[in-house]
Amino acid sequence: MDGWIARMENALATLAARLDEPPSLEELASAANVSPFHFHRIWRAMTGETVARTIARLRIANAQQRLAEPDASVTSVAMETGFGTSQSFARAFRRVTGMSPTEFLSNGAERITAATAEGAPLRIELRERAELVVLRREGGAYRELNELFWQLWNWAEGAGKLDGLQGIYGIPLDDPVSIEEHRLRYDACLAFTDPGKPPAAFARVTLPAGDYAVVRHHGSYEGLEASNQRAIDALLALARDPADFPLFHHFLDDPEEVAPEALRTDILIRLVPAENRPC
């Protein structure tokens, strides 16, 4: 499977470099070193979509980046990204993002650069370095984590650290779909301006500064894993590689004060710098 992934990545790179004039079936098949007779079926098996759908998503991702620029207009961006008319651009944009280009502009285009298949916005953010104090739980599903976070919170309160609290984070270190429940690891995290030296039961983790792909999850924490997967799916359309760093959650609301359906959680994936992306 690793071999097939590498071959399809070659085809994807060929495609992404020529979205204005997409390569032919023969060129894509050659890049993947596979027969043109079988390329489309293999592509669908590996990506879950047709080549045409991939082209549309990549074009829309480019269009969103262009729309975020101050001098952009819907008509000019439609032409620049390979759509024959503003109408065809608007239809494709809504199909991929769930909104029209005009709605995208009015909802803050400067913050959004791609979209998941379900329309949940994915954006690229430049984040500053953050210092976390971490308490890990080994074994157990990613639920009923309140006790873990309370242990961390009680230490911070007793140590007089809460005045410097910058955020509450969680790091699910494993894929619960692929890893047995008793092997799952989870880090409960608090970010501080000055963490100091925590007790031996805790650890320090640095969230490096840099580009992060961000998807906002709305609702109960029970739906976070599905949103994690959608974030990964959307990231693939950006042609940006995830760094060697776990996906993590930034909890924006207090679940004791906010109803489950109104909770907001940012899912963050650190990205390899664009200039270091492997060819």
Side-chain angles (χ1 to χ4, degrees):
M1 185 59 70
D2 287 345
W4 278 116
I5 291 172
R7 290 160 74 175
M8 290 299 109
E9 285 179 343
N10 288 340
L12 178 60
T14 300
L15 184 62
R18 292 173 50 192
L19 288 177
D20 52 342
E21 295 182 7
S24 66
L25 167 61
E26 288 73 20
E27 289 175 291
L28 290 174
S30 176
N33 193 25
V34 66
S35 166
F37 291 110
H38 304 298
F39 176 81
H40 281 304
R41 289 189 179 90
I42 294 172
W43 181 272
R44 289 205 312 275
M46 296 294 293
T47 68
E49 64 185 9
T50 65
V51 172
R53 176 67 172 171
T54 302
I55 291 172
R57 287 200 298 117
L58 292 175
R59 281 178 169 171
I60 295 303
N62 285 347
Q64 288 175 303
Q65 291 176 336
R66 183 69 180 89
L67 283 170
E69 298 174 6
D71 63 337
S73 70
V74 172
T75 301
S76 65
V77 171
M79 299 300 106
E80 291 172 13
T81 50
F83 293 90
T85 66
S86 298
Q87 291 76 18
S88 63
F89 173 55
R91 286 194 297 271
F93 198 98
R94 182 176 290 279
R95 186 166 59 247
V96 172
T97 69
M99 67 181 78
S100 71
T102 302
E103 290 170 332
F104 174 81
L105 287 169
S106 65
N107 279 280
E110 72 281 356
R111 298 191 304 274
I112 306 173
T113 58
T116 66
E118 288 76 13
L122 182 149
R123 59 194 187 273
I124 302 297
E125 288 186 2
L126 178 62
R127 291 243 168 173
E128 297 181 355
R129 175 187 174 113
E131 298 294 338
L132 309 182
V133 175
V134 174
L135 179 60
R136 176 167 297 181
R137 188 182 79 178
E138 299 195 7
Y142 291 151
R143 58 178 181 268
E144 298 177 358
L145 294 163
N146 285 349
E147 182 179 349
L148 188 69
F149 278 96
W150 272 117
Q151 290 181 52
L152 192 57
W153 186 273
N154 288 338
W155 162 77
E157 186 175 36
K161 296 289 186 182
L162 292 183
D163 286 344
L165 181 68
Q166 294 183 311
I168 302 174
Y169 296 85
I171 306 178
L173 291 154
D174 303 295
D175 174 14
V177 178
S178 306
I179 303 298
E180 297 94 335
E181 187 172 300
H182 70 276
R183 294 173 53 203
L184 295 175
R185 300 164 300 161
Y186 186 91
D187 285 346
C189 315
L190 298 179
F192 298 101
T193 51
D194 179 17
K197 185 176 181 180
F202 303 133
R204 288 268 305 265
V205 169
T206 298
L207 298 183
D211 281 348
Y212 287 81
V214 186
V215 165
R216 178 158 296 178
H217 169 82
H218 292 269
S220 168
Y221 298 145
E222 293 181 3
L224 269 174
E225 181 52 39
S227 291
N228 291 343
Q229 186 59 49
R230 285 195 291 271
I232 294 294
D233 292 344
L235 178 61
L236 297 180
L238 286 179
R240 290 287 300 271
D241 289 356
D244 186 19
F245 196 85
L247 170 153
F248 63 98
H249 300 142
H250 183 189
F251 300 109
L252 303 175
D253 297 302
D254 183 346
E256 294 193 350
E257 298 181 357
V258 177
E261 63 273 13
L263 290 169
R264 301 167 302 150
T265 306
D266 277 348
I267 301 167
L268 296 102
I269 304 169
R270 189 183 175 211
L271 300 175
V272 173
E275 63 270 20
N276 295 336
R277 187 173 182 269
C279 299

